[in-house]
Amino acid sequence: MIRLSGRFRSSLIIGGQGIRARKLRTFLSMVSLFLGVMAVVVVQAGASIAERALLSESELREGKDGTVQMYVASHAKAVPVTLETLRGRSDAVATFGTQAIIGEPGVTPVNPGGASFDGPGGYSPYVTCDESGCHNVDAPTAGQPPGKAIELQLTALTGDVRKIRPYRLESGRWLDFSSAPSLSPGIVINREAAKGFARHRVPAEMRIDGAVANSTPRIIGVVDDGGFQPAAYVRADELLTWLPETALVSGRGQGVQVLMAPSATGLEQTLRARLLAAGMPAGQVNTNRVDAREHAKTQLAIMRWIFLGMASLVLLIGVAGILNVGLATVGERIEEFALRRAVGTPRSLLAGIVLAETLLTGLFTAAAAIGVGAAGLHLVSTLVGDREPFLQNVEFPWQAGVAGVIAGLVAGLLGGLIPALRAARIPIATVMRA
Amino acid sequence: MTPLIQLNGVTKTLKGQGAPRDILSGVDLTVHGGESVAILGRSGSGKSTLLSLIGLFDRPDGGQYLLGHRDITRLPERKAAALRSAEFGFVFQRFFLLKHLTAAQNVAMALVNGQGWLPRRKRRAKVMAALEQVGIAHLAKQRPPRMSGGEQQRVAIARALVREPRVLLADEPTGALDTETGRLVIGALHAATERGCGLILVTHDREHADRMGRVLQLDNGVLAPATERVGV
């Protein structure tokens, strides 16, 4: 147990007595301070929750900071060279994107273009890419009757991408890259696709432009990938059983993206050299390093300081309230402080008593603000958590609690400093002249 | 025997807006342990100023002040506060009790003053002993507004005695009390001298003064034995 000094204990005891003796005044001081401390707590809580949500989403979409992303444009040799170079490596994953329709053949899907199921309009532009670039084209299902089918973005993976993009598994299991490939491709869908499959019963038949035949997919899990459009992930080798490599980089194939972990040193140069050697123009291999988290952090920090600055102004009004009450209280307690000096209380302790009262008032206010903030967040999470995923099961951030306590203490210190100095200067002879 | 308190040629001049005024011009005073001294004088004669010098509320302009063997004429405020706590007990004309505290808490004020620390149990025992000493232990949990003037003054005396001071300074402690209650209060103060405590009583009341061992008169800034004495 920490042994507190006698002077510190004395100031706490006498400060506590002072607060009990002036409950209404303390309460009014707390009211004047409450909004300021509450503003600091809310800003800090909001910033922490937003940071957690945004950073986590940016990692899901972009990958962890330091990841090197290589974009390889459509080229006949792009897929085989990439597959060959990445074979056996766990620190890099190639992704091949294409569109797939699961459901009845020869119909227009319920979400043409792979649009989200709740999005207004919902049509995504149809794009085709070749060596000269990407172009908008008519929907391949245009003119077909509507039917029971769902269109989604299908991404084929050469390895476990979750080391780089930490998709959150919601149910089922993730793709198993260690087992032998299956003729019936196992797919993991995202939350939006899961929503579609929950609403619409569709046959298990998957169409992909350029595929030699329709396959029968097995949905083995659901992940949160931070995306808002229906998507599915499949092992590249299982997909390539049904789809020629060239189809991945032609028609509606979206080219190759290679994600390299920061530890994959040298791979970028090797892959680039091989692609160029295979005849790919240098301008069609582009790389960039992910620093989304750092970038988002900087932006959030700027926003946080702007809002904390505004909250501090509100807090300052509360400080003025405490200062006003403190000065009035010291004026009323001149005889008490003079008497305390007469019985041997040092000046520093008199200042400590006044500061203890204002600091305790600040702490009580902080406790109230933190309590209200936590309860409010719980309420908001309960009421709108279903609509806003980032508010689901959200916990009150400890940083907001710390900020509230600091705000309360700083306000108590600023509001109590001048009254404390006045109390320490009260002449002892006041008791003799009274 | 070493005197408890010794003032040698102590002077004090008030420097206000007008011309400086000599309040004390060479006061000599010696008080031994267990001795009681009454100081009489007209209003404005400097009795309270003398008491505030003795109680280290203020410093003399000249002369010497010894507490035992120690010269405390020019003591810094921090050390003066420690000495006030350890060596002196004060009783004032107005009781200066805090209305929001109980009698026991008012007495404990002299113990919770940042000069050392006593655990709660020991503090309570000391407070109850002091209240017992002045005969109002049964009022420990009462608050001042529910107590009579005499009871309140006895709480103030208990507050002065709780640290077992060597010197008790009383500034017209019966000024706000009726005659009979005043006698009881003087009796409680006098009882402290039986335990070796020195008592200096400033009063206008000749009858109370005559109950002290010595009666001094402060006149024109000089302290001298009082000439007239009524029966004790």
Side-chain angles (χ1 to χ4, degrees):
Chain A
M1 186 186 136
I2 301 168
R3 301 288 297 175
L4 302 173
S5 77
R7 204 163 284 190
F8 182 69
R9 291 189 204 197
S10 300
S11 61
L12 282 183
I13 288 177
I14 301 167
Q17 287 173 343
I19 285 175
R20 276 203 301 275
R22 282 166 282 274
K23 291 189 190 81
L24 180 61
R25 199 170 278 192
T26 304
F27 175 72
L28 292 176
S29 295
M30 285 176 65
V31 169
S32 76
L33 197 57
F34 183 79
L35 277 182
V37 178
M38 190 70 206
V40 172
V41 169
V42 167
V43 168
Q44 184 61 43
S48 296
I49 292 168
E51 182 176 309
R52 203 175 304 157
L54 282 178
L55 295 185
S56 144
E57 294 300 305
S58 83
E59 269 194 352
L60 291 181
R61 284 194 289 266
E62 306 279 326
K64 291 177 179 171
D65 271 13
T67 300
V68 175
Q69 292 178 322
M70 178 181 278
Y71 296 97
V72 183
S74 301
H75 189 274
K77 291 285 184 184
V79 175
V81 169
T82 304
L83 288 176
E84 176 60 29
T85 309
L86 264 55
R87 183 163 293 137
R89 295 194 72 125
S90 61
D91 54 0
V93 175
T95 71
F96 311 97
T98 186
Q99 291 291 118
I101 296 172
I102 299 175
E104 292 176 335
V107 298
T108 299
V110 293
N111 62 329
S116 67
F117 295 96
D118 293 325
Y123 282 86
S124 298
Y126 286 91
V127 175
T128 186
C129 299
D130 53 31
E131 290 178 4
S132 65
C134 296
H135 320 280
N136 288 342
V137 294
D138 289 339
T141 54
Q144 293 176 340
K148 293 178 179 174
I150 288 173
E151 184 166 354
L152 40 75
Q153 163 81 38
L154 184 66
T155 304
L157 305 168
T158 60
D160 191 353
V161 76
R162 290 189 305 165
K163 291 174 188 165
I164 297 167
R165 289 179 181 166
Y167 298 152
R168 293 184 285 262
L169 192 64
E170 302 240 313
S171 64
R173 59 184 169 84
W174 179 243
L175 301 171
D176 176 12
F177 291 89
S178 60
S179 60
S182 168
L183 280 174
S184 169
I187 61 172
V188 174
I189 56 176
N190 71 354
R191 287 159 58 114
E192 184 62 23
K195 194 195 290 179
F197 284 111
R199 287 181 191 174
H200 307 280
R201 292 180 68 83
V202 298
E205 185 172 344
M206 182 160 71
R207 280 180 281 155
I208 302 168
D209 280 355
V212 291
N214 291 349
S215 58
T216 306
R218 292 171 294 119
I219 297 175
I220 59 172
V222 178
V223 290
D224 177 10
D225 62 355
F228 300 104
Q229 291 188 309
Y233 300 90
V234 64
R235 278 173 57 166
D237 51 3
E238 288 186 355
L239 185 65
L240 289 172
T241 307
W242 301 93
L243 194 68
E245 290 174 356
T246 49
L248 285 172
V249 288
S250 63
R252 296 177 70 198
Q254 292 157 14
V256 181
Q257 186 184 17
V258 182
L259 301 170
M260 290 170 258
S263 57
T265 48
L267 178 62
E268 182 188 342
Q269 287 80 4
T270 307
L271 183 56
R272 178 185 289 275
R274 287 189 180 180
L275 286 168
L276 297 185
M280 176 163 281
Q284 291 194 3
V285 181
N286 299 303
T287 55
N288 72 288
R289 189 171 293 273
V290 174
D291 65 346
R293 194 180 180 90
E294 203 52 47
H295 186 64
K297 256 186 178 172
T298 308
Q299 285 184 326
L300 279 170
I302 292 169
M303 293 296 287
R304 182 196 310 229
W305 284 115
I306 290 171
F307 280 105
L308 276 179
M310 291 194 284
S312 301
L313 289 178
V314 183
L315 191 66
L316 218 53
I317 297 168
V319 170
I322 284 202
L323 180 63
N324 186 26
V325 171
L327 286 174
T329 306
V330 168
E332 284 174 12
R333 296 168 73 184
I334 285 176
E335 286 183 1
E336 178 194 333
F337 289 129
L339 176 71
R340 288 192 185 278
R341 283 197 61 199
V343 300
T345 307
R347 288 174 189 271
S348 58
L349 181 55
L350 291 183
I353 291 166
V354 176
L355 276 178
E357 288 182 18
T358 54
L359 287 173
L360 284 174
T361 304
L363 273 183
F364 294 153
T365 310
I370 291 166
V372 170
L377 185 62
H378 180 72
L379 189 69
V380 168
S381 170
T382 309
L383 292 178
V384 297
D386 292 342
R387 277 170 286 166
E388 301 294 340
F390 77 97
L391 284 174
Q392 275 176 1
N393 303 321
V394 66
E395 287 182 359
F396 187 74
W398 62 267
Q399 294 94 330
V402 172
V405 170
I406 291 173
L409 288 176
V410 167
L413 187 69
L414 292 178
L417 201 58
I418 294 174
L421 291 175
R422 285 217 176 161
R425 286 181 191 154
I426 288 172
I428 195 167
T430 306
V431 281
M432 301 300 288
R433 288 197 293 268
Chain B
M1 186 175 146
T2 307
L4 191 57
I5 284 177
Q6 205 173 342
L7 300 183
N8 300 320
V10 165
T11 61
K12 184 72 185 176
T13 303
L14 281 190
K15 304 174 189 80
Q17 287 179 333
R21 190 160 68 93
D22 291 335
I23 298 294
L24 304 175
S25 21
V27 167
D28 296 317
L29 173 67
T30 302
V31 180
H32 289 90
E35 189 184 7
S36 59
V37 177
I39 297 175
L40 292 169
R42 295 188 321 277
S43 293
S45 60
K47 303 186 297 294
S48 295
T49 304
L50 176 60
L51 210 59
S52 65
L53 292 182
I54 297 171
L56 300 175
F57 293 1
D58 203 353
R59 290 181 193 162
D61 294 330
Q64 189 186 38
Y65 179 8
L66 298 175
L67 182 70
H69 289 296
R70 187 176 173 193
D71 187 343
I72 57 170
T73 316
R74 298 253 167 262
L75 214 55
E77 168 54 26
R78 193 171 50 83
K79 289 185 177 172
L83 264 191
R84 279 199 299 275
S85 171
E87 306 286 0
F88 295 94
F90 300 93
V91 182
F92 306 100
Q93 179 177 357
R94 282 176 57 201
F95 321 124
F96 289 121
L97 299 181
L98 302 185
K99 289 178 193 166
H100 61 275
L101 302 182
T102 64
Q105 287 171 328
N106 269 289
V107 174
M109 178 196 283
L111 296 173
V112 185
N113 63 355
Q115 307 286 1
W117 180 253
L118 277 180
R120 184 185 291 195
R121 191 173 293 175
K122 283 187 182 171
R123 211 162 62 218
R124 190 175 294 165
K126 273 182 167 283
V127 166
M128 291 313 293
L131 286 170
E132 192 75 53
Q133 211 172 315
V134 293
I136 52 165
H138 60 288
L139 298 176
K141 290 185 179 172
Q142 289 277 11
R143 290 181 200 279
R146 300 178 69 92
M147 299 161 82
S148 71
E151 287 168 340
Q152 290 190 44
Q153 189 60 296
R154 278 191 280 171
V155 173
I157 294 171
R159 183 178 62 202
L161 293 174
V162 72
R163 272 199 180 258
E164 298 166 21
R166 287 205 288 164
V167 185
L168 202 52
L169 304 174
D171 187 15
E172 303 201 30
T174 59
L177 303 174
D178 61 68
T179 313
E180 190 52 39
T181 311
R183 282 196 194 113
L184 286 171
V185 166
I186 293 296
L189 287 171
H190 207 266
T193 61
E194 291 163 13
R195 288 181 294 278
C197 179
L199 170 63
I200 300 175
L201 172 72
V202 165
T203 181
H204 282 296
D205 193 312
R206 184 69 206 214
E207 184 195 332
H208 295 322
D210 284 343
R211 292 180 68 181
M212 302 296 118
R214 252 192 314 152
V215 183
L216 303 172
Q217 178 92 27
L218 187 61
D219 205 7
N220 292 324
V222 178
L223 203 54
T227 49
E228 206 178 314
R229 192 174 174 97
V230 296
V232 177

